[in-house]
Amino acid sequence: MHKPQFSLEVFPPRRNAPVGTIYDTLDGLQGVHPDFISVTYGTGRSADRTATARICHTVRKEYDIPVVAHLTAQYLNEEQVDEALDMFKQAGVSAILALRGDAVEGREPTGVFHYASDLVSYIRQHQPDFQVFGACYPEGHPHASTLDDDITHLKLKVDAGLSGLISQLFFDNEEFLRFVDKTRTAGIHVPIEAGIMPVTNASQIQRMVSMCGSRIPNNLATLLERWGDDPEAMKQAGILFASQQISDLVSHGVDGIHLYTMNHPCTTRRIWNNVAPLFKATTPEVEIRV
Ligand code: FAD
């Protein structure tokens, strides 16, 4: 049996938040043992590669955890991508999550990196020491005309030199498992980590779902209806829902789990305490190693 990967995602604190909040998040994650932590990168006004690089440096050097830096490229030119990659290298980053990023109203893309696959090719060509990962969408990217089209584009991105994929959040495991089957049939054979977002707050999840288009299955809708107005009960129910989702996915042999922490260490620790034994399995086969 292979050992699935377990990774976490954190984001730089908002510009008006005290700098120390990221330390609170990372300190709060002590006791959780991820294979790596990924650090997001803003698009548009919140884009700040120094913030991503600084947090990567802290995770790598102070917490000794492998780190993946996200990089969105549609508003960058080659020189800016070079600068970002140099900064990440100095911060001890060994892998990049190469992204196109979302469109920002009123801002013209540079036209250099149209799709994430352009960034993947660029990194493979200019900085081949980095491992490169990409994003994927079990229910299709919101702008793709069909899931099959999206998978055709995904294959081009993987063939440009990806070592692995990390999925968008989803709540219906069947949907994810069907997606993985489709990618394998399409000739995509890199490991795919399943993106799990704990639902601990009913309004937060409505916002997320409207942004990324993930479907809320009936069992989650029932939880939201029953506990949505009771924050403490909703949090507990959400932690259990995410833990069960992870347990079911691991039983189905997924390559890995990527937990969107939302910078909430307490929720993350509680989920980890529920699922940690599932990540102790034996002989590795397919792994995203950074
Ligand atoms: P792409 O892979 O380029 O795909 C975008 C769209 O273009 C898709 O519809 C695809 O089907 C289509 N497409 C791709 N190639 C072609 C082609 N050759 N011809 C025609 N169509 C094509 N956003 C941030 O701003 N910062 C982050 O840190 C961040 N982290 C993320 C992490 C994960 C795991 C995920 C799943 C998403 C993340 N995002 C982040 C959001 C992401 O930037 C958006 O979803 C964005 O809209 C798409 O980025 P992409 O890299 O997936 O794009």
Side-chain angles (χ1 to χ4, degrees), residues 40-41 43 70 99-102 115-116 137 141 150 153 157:
T40 67
Y41 179 90
T43 287
H70 298 206
L99 297 153
R100 184 197 68 178
D102 283 319
Y115 297 113
Y137 302 82
H141 183 271
D150 205 29
H153 301 146
K157 182 159 75 172

Side-chain angles (χ1 to χ4, degrees), residues 79-92:
E79 202 183 330
Q80 289 165 321
V81 165
D82 290 342
E83 262 172 37
L85 295 176
D86 286 346
M87 214 182 290
F88 292 154
K89 194 165 263 177
Q90 280 169 28

Side-chain angles (χ1 to χ4, degrees), residues 46-126:
S46 59
D48 179 0
R49 46 188 172 279
T50 54
T52 301
R54 267 199 318 273
I55 294 167
C56 286
H57 182 268
T58 303
V59 171
R60 188 75 199 102
K61 297 282 155 53
E62 291 183 30
Y63 296 86
D64 198 21
I65 298 171
V67 67
V68 175
H70 298 206
L71 182 61
T72 65
Q74 69 171 323
Y75 294 106
L76 302 182
N77 58 32
E78 292 184 352
E79 202 183 330
Q80 289 165 321
V81 165
D82 290 342
E83 262 172 37
L85 295 176
D86 286 346
M87 214 182 290
F88 292 154
K89 194 165 263 177
Q90 280 169 28
V93 170
S94 52
I96 308 290
L97 180 62
L99 297 153
R100 184 197 68 178
D102 283 319
V104 178
E105 218 182 300
R107 207 165 158 210
E108 251 331 279
T110 54
V112 182
F113 301 101
H114 286 287
Y115 297 113
S117 53
D118 300 319
L119 179 62
V120 178
S121 307
Y122 186 83
I123 300 174
R124 296 304 310 143
Q125 199 180 340
H126 295 269

Side-chain angles (χ1 to χ4, degrees), residues 122-136:
Y122 186 83
I123 300 174
R124 296 304 310 143
Q125 199 180 340
H126 295 269
Q127 299 261 15
D129 290 348
F130 281 116
Q131 268 193 291
V132 191
F133 300 111
C136 64

